[in-house]
Amino acid sequence: GYFYSRWRKCIWSSHDLSDIVFIDNYIFSKDVYIQFNSTVGKYVGYTEHGVYNAELWNNDTGQLQSERAEVDICKQNADVYQQTITDKS
């Protein structure tokens, strides 16, 4: 059968959260076909179907604003995680 999944992740490497990156992967049968990367600021398609959908989604300003807003949620969560870790050590 076929397998669909969506992986969303926040990546940061220091206490300074200004470099945090939000990545939203759309995966079909273990291959990423569309990815939103907050550094790029838009969707990128990696397959024919992905390129087609990325163009549609990039033209939807509401959807792009929603994805870009996820960076703020990442920062809030990362700040909580960072404080929890530093309080324990």
Side-chain angles (χ1 to χ4, degrees):
Y2 296 103
F3 178 75
Y4 169 80
S5 65
R6 183 175 176 190
W7 292 8
R8 303 172 75 161
K9 49 190 160 182
C10 303
I11 302 170
W12 73 97
S13 61
S14 68
H15 294 287
D16 177 20
L17 300 178
S18 64
D19 67 341
I20 200 162
V21 177
F22 171 70
I23 297 176
D24 190 1
N25 289 315
Y26 294 80
I27 303 163
F28 184 74
S29 293
K30 300 181 183 179
D31 290 324
V32 174
Y33 67 96
I34 298 176
Q35 181 183 77
F36 177 86
N37 183 321
S38 64
T39 304
V40 177
K42 65 179 186 175
Y43 291 96
V44 176
Y46 294 103
T47 65
E48 183 178 346
H49 178 68
V51 169
Y52 174 78
N53 283 318
E55 287 177 18
L56 291 176
W57 296 354
N58 286 330
N59 290 326
D60 183 347
T61 56
Q63 187 163 351
L64 277 180
Q65 286 176 344
S66 175
E67 287 282 22
R68 290 175 181 153
E70 290 291 329
V71 174
D72 294 330
I73 295 169
C74 284
K75 286 181 181 178
Q76 292 170 358
N77 290 336
D79 189 41
V80 170
Y81 297 146
Q82 208 62 44
Q83 288 177 14
T84 303
I85 291 168
T86 54
D87 288 348
K88 300 277 184 199
S89 52

